[in-house]
């Protein structure tokens, strides 16, 4: 065969080899992603990541759901230690709170986690950030605008490597260990500032009964008032309450501490009336820590986010609230 003929043959074979290698690579990735789809489908969104972590964990009895206020303000480790010490059991807690929450994301997270076997108590943060309007932020695919859009949507719906392509970005891929090793994480380790300084510090705080007793919440109890259906927020809490009852899960509502202008904004008559209606439609009291006087020294900002000392105290008193609510339920 002449040199010219060989070159022509190589030029013909080269595209075939390229597409063969591409096909083999896609097949390898597809085979790899089939058993791993649960992990890679939940890396790009905080709510989905925390939900997947909780579902992947060993049996977990206590779950917190909320905004950055719960994320910064609750230590699952302390809650578990206090609860287990007083109850002589070995329960574990998980902090599922994240930033960027809204009512749709709250209900999505609750519905996806309340079905987990072994779950006993869910504590939901009640606050204006949680109750705001918003979308899920995913699963909202728009109609294709052109052929390229349609091609991308077709690939995404038929190829996992295309559907999960965003999961392979470094900022998302680093969360794979968080799901796989979820039993060794408590939720607070993710998306919380100052985690390293807090872990390294060995501060000892005053946890005397006198001080803890100052963190007594004001309870908002259900009333006999008829609440009109059709309100987005109230209907969502009614559905979550019914689902918790169906799954035999103890459901608690907690308003976290706030200070300064934030405290004034969230303790108006209008806001408190809304909280009252939430309590009524869900048939559960709300533990309100938002209208008790808490020193500014327990906050890391001048708004609504607790520092380490505030987190230790808040987690301790909440562990006692959980214990008390379970005894009431049993009686």
């Amino acid at each position: 065969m002449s040199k010219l003929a060989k070159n022509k043959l190589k030029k013909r074979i080269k595209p075939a080899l390229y597409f063969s290698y591409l096909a083999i690579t896609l097949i390898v990735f597809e085979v790899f992603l089939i058993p791993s789809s649960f992990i890679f489908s939940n890396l790009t969104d905080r709510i989905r990541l925390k939900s997947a972590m909780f579902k992947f964990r060993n049996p977990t009895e206590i779950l917190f759901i909320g905004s950055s206020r719960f994320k910064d303000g609750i230590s699952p480790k302390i809650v578990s230690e206090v609860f287990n010490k007083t109850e002589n059991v070995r329960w574990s807690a998980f902090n599922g709170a994240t930033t960027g929450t809204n009512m749709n994301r709250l209900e999505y997270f609750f519905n996806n986690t309340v079905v987990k076997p072994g779950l006993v108590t869910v504590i939901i943060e009640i606050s204006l950030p949680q109750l705001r309007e918003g979308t899920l932020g995913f699963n909202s695919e728009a109609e294709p605008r052109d052929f390229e859009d349609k091609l991308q949507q077709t690939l995404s719906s038929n190829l996992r490597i295309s559907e999960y392509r965003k999961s392979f970005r470094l900022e998302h891929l680093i969360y794979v260990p968080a799901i796989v090793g979820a039993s060794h994480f408590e939720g607070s380790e993710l998306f919380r500032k100052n985690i390293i300084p807090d872990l390294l510090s060995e501060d000892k705080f005053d946890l005397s009964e006198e001080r803890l007793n100052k963190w007594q919440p004001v309870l908002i109890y259900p009333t006999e008032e008829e609440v009109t259906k059709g309100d987005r927020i109230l209907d969502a809490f009614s559905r979550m309450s019914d689902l918790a009852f169906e799954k035999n899960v103890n459901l608690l509502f907690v308003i976290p501490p706030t200070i300064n202008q934030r405290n004034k904004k969230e303790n108006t008559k209008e806001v408190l009336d809304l909280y009252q209606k939430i309590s009524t439609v869900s048939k559960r009291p709300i533990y309100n820590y938002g209208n008790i006087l808490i020193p500014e020294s327990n906050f890391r900002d001048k708004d609504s986010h607790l520092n380490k000392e505030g987190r230790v105290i808040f987690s301790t008193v909440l562990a006692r609230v959980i214990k008390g609510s379970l005894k009431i339920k049993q009686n």
Side-chain angles (χ1 to χ4, degrees), residues 100-250:
T101 57
N102 58 53
M103 278 305 303
N104 280 329
R105 290 167 71 81
L106 166 62
E107 190 171 11
Y108 170 88
F109 190 95
F110 180 81
N111 292 345
N112 275 271
T113 52
V114 74
V115 296
K116 182 177 174 67
L119 181 61
V120 178
T121 296
V122 176
I123 304 92
I124 293 180
E125 173 192 326
I126 302 292
S127 67
L128 291 188
Q130 280 276 87
L131 306 180
R132 62 189 173 188
E133 296 278 355
T135 63
L136 283 176
F138 51 87
N139 293 342
S140 54
E141 214 170 61
E143 285 294 319
R145 295 170 298 178
D146 49 35
F147 174 78
E148 186 178 347
D149 268 2
K150 189 171 183 179
L151 177 62
Q152 288 183 358
Q153 289 188 15
T154 302
L155 289 173
S156 293
S157 59
N158 291 281
L159 289 175
R160 287 176 173 82
I161 184 60
S162 179
E163 182 181 356
Y164 306 146
R165 63 191 181 280
K166 292 181 181 179
S167 300
F168 286 89
R169 296 175 183 171
L170 181 60
E171 66 266 29
H172 299 143
L173 200 59
I174 58 177
Y175 292 122
V176 170
I179 297 181
V180 176
S183 293
H184 304 289
F185 291 88
E186 294 171 331
S188 295
E189 300 90 344
L190 302 177
F191 313 123
R192 185 164 70 76
K193 296 179 180 179
N194 304 317
I195 183 67
I196 300 300
D198 284 351
L199 288 173
L200 295 177
S201 65
E202 297 181 358
D203 302 319
K204 294 187 181 298
F205 304 112
D206 176 14
L207 295 177
S208 63
E209 289 300 318
E210 180 182 1
R211 190 178 192 194
L212 293 177
N213 286 336
K214 293 180 180 179
W215 286 60
Q216 290 298 320
V218 175
L219 266 67
I220 301 174
Y221 288 103
T223 66
E224 297 298 324
E225 180 185 357
E226 192 74 27
V227 178
T228 306
K229 292 185 178 181
D231 183 278
R232 177 188 59 86
I233 295 174
L234 300 181
D235 288 352
F237 276 101
S238 179
R239 289 191 296 269
M240 288 189 287
S241 179
D242 291 343
L243 184 57
F245 181 81
E246 177 187 328
K247 300 300 179 182
N248 194 31
V249 170
N250 183 39

Side-chain angles (χ1 to χ4, degrees), residues 56-68:
F56 219 78
R57 281 171 62 86
N58 291 334
T60 305
E61 292 79 13
I62 302 171
L63 171 64
F64 293 91
I65 305 176
S67 72
S68 58

